[in-house]
DNA sequence: TGTGAAAAACCAAATAC
DNA sequence: GTATTTGGTTTTTCACA
């Protein structure tokens, strides 16, 4: 992670479809250099995913109350199912962030969470437009 | 916005660097069709931006308890300050999602929220690695 | 990093819906 | 009339020295 890597990340944050060539031109290096660096950033987990932001998805945060006796197992399960997980420091309660195309799909996903062993209760917040 | 557009969006959400060609192959249409449709999705504002998710930033969700008598005003203030706001349906309590480079910066931002008029209490959740 | 082959993106005209 | 395909050109990607 040097200055060049940070610049590459900044460019990709703004436009992840910018070509390697174009980034290379801006940074005065070869295309192959950009391609290899991006590959390394992905392999090392620094770049998690290339994605888009849309105006149509429903985004929700599901607050999840866990049974404290099963908390660590349930948390493990949640981690395997969702990538966007939040936790109070030092508390057993967690939240997952979910993005779906419709409110129905979001509700179905919440139902899945409610059915998980060790989940006592859930509360869903929806992103304001 | 038809079925094809939704599928294109789903593919791009998973990998915004997937080539038009590859998407075209999966949907059995020509590359030009995919390119034009993506262009239309961008121009109509449905696709807001092509971006990346990284593991560099600290992401937090701040749960905010509002004074019910000032709730609508405080919510208005929060909306002007943050773009990623979540709300329980029919409840006065909200959450904002904040992304910062360090935990210190995140805490400073939370302090700002606590100082807002009408904010009774806050609780911060931090994204798990 | 530089080179050359393969792939993808792009453009304009023709066609299909 | 709008959307899609087709064919030809430019640009980018990718592997290898």
């Amino acid at each position: 992670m040097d200055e060049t890597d940070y610049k590459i990340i900044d460019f990709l944050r703004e436009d992840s479809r910018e070509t390697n060539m174009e980034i290379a031109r801006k940074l005065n290096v070869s295309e192959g250099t950009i391609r290899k660096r991006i590959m390394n950033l992905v392999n090392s987990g620094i770049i998690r995913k290339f994605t888009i932001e849309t105006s149509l998805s429903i985004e929700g945060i599901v607050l999840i109350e866990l049974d404290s006796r099963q908390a660590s197992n349930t948390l493990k399960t949640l981690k395997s199912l969702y990538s966007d997980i939040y936790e109070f420091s030092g508390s057993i309660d967690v939240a997952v962030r979910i993005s779906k195309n419709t409110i129905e799909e979001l509700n179905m996903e919440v139902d899945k969470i409610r059915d998980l062993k060790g989940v006592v209760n859930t509360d869903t917040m929806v992103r304001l437009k």
Side-chain angles (χ1 to χ4, degrees), chain A:
Chain A
M1 279 301 290
D2 58 8
E3 189 62 21
T4 305
D5 281 338
Y6 275 109
K7 283 180 182 162
I8 291 173
I9 285 174
D10 281 342
F11 285 130
L12 291 177
R13 258 202 252 272
E14 277 313 301
D15 178 11
S16 60
R17 274 207 153 193
E18 181 155 47
T19 63
N20 299 339
M21 279 296 299
E22 187 59 30
I23 298 173
R25 272 192 285 266
K26 289 183 183 170
L27 299 182
N28 279 311
V29 294
S30 70
E31 182 272 337
T33 300
I34 300 296
R35 189 151 38 84
K36 280 199 175 154
R37 279 176 178 261
I38 290 178
M39 200 186 66
N40 287 338
L41 288 168
V42 171
N43 289 340
S44 68
I46 291 171
I47 292 179
R48 277 214 199 90
K49 82 191 294 190
F50 295 86
T51 187
I52 53 171
E53 284 174 18
T54 71
S55 58
L56 49 77
S57 63
I58 310 282
E59 279 150 67
I61 291 172
V62 186
L63 301 173
I64 305 170
E65 187 186 339
L66 300 180
D67 176 355
S68 59
R69 290 160 302 181
Q70 310 174 52
S72 76
N73 275 334
T74 314
L75 186 57
K76 205 174 294 174
T77 306
L78 286 169
K79 280 182 186 173
S80 71
L81 294 172
Y82 303 99
S83 63
D84 217 356
I85 302 190
Y86 298 79
E87 201 176 29
F88 289 111
S89 49
S91 160
I92 58 159
D93 290 322
V94 299
V96 301
R97 189 156 154 277
I98 293 175
S99 180
K100 290 285 173 188
N101 285 328
T102 65
I103 191 77
E104 288 78 18
E105 288 178 54
L106 178 63
N107 286 334
M108 282 174 53
E109 201 62 39
V110 173
D111 285 342
K112 282 193 206 164
I113 295 174
R114 298 182 79 100
D115 287 343
L116 290 177
K117 196 162 146 57
V119 170
V120 172
N121 197 14
T122 69
D123 256 320
T124 305
M125 311 182 79
V126 175
R127 190 182 196 275
L128 296 181
K129 295 284 176 191

